[in-house]
Amino acid sequence: MKRTQGARADTIDGDILRRLDRAVRTGGLVRVHRSIPRADRLEGFVVGVDAGWTLIARCTDIRLDGWTAVRTADIVKVRRRGDGTCLTIRALRRRGRWPVRMPDPAVRLDTLPALAESASAAFGLITLHVERHMPDVCYIGALTELRRASLRLRKVDTEARWCDGVSAFRFKDITRVEFGGHYEETLREFAGPRP
């Protein structure tokens, strides 16, 4: 695993890293638990691991639904959800969607600015979560600017309308970044180009 400057690699449990690496190698379906109180448990396929961020191809109702990146240091448990004979993998294999791979173009996982910039360039809209402060809220929009300790997002509302102005999010508050899911793609389609 690549160690990157500024990442909290020294705080990541070695057993967690081995489980994440194994999940990437085997292509197995997993459930990921994080140390954030009341944070969602994420189910899917781990497709990339770095000391900074881990990328999971989300899987809901036996179908893939975009990608979720979480801080690797926040992961406290990785549980296998089935082997190669489970229905989810059998269905994805039959449809030519398994083994699951990184998105194309690949996104960077070493730092949050690199992740946000590469995901935004590839997918247009990104979803930000600040789960330590508001575990049940997310913000969807287009990246407009990266600063030294924060990013700016032009948000899209639930009716696919661009909001006025931009919102700032501190890097240290962002715990999860999602992109390429059915909901983000639908909002992007109906919102049209960013004003």
Side-chain angles (χ1 to χ4, degrees), residues 68-90:
T68 298
V70 296
R71 292 178 185 170
T72 303
D74 289 341
I75 297 172
V76 294
K77 192 184 300 182
V78 180
R79 296 257 176 165
R80 267 191 7 203
R81 296 294 295 161
D83 57 20
T85 64
C86 75
L87 178 59
T88 299
I89 291 177
R90 289 182 4 236

Side-chain angles (χ1 to χ4, degrees), residues 172-188:
K172 70 179 187 175
D173 295 333
I174 299 170
T175 57
R176 180 166 129 199
V177 179
E178 296 178 326
F179 50 91
H182 295 99
Y183 188 62
E184 289 103 344
E185 292 300 309
T186 301
L187 288 178
R188 184 174 63 112

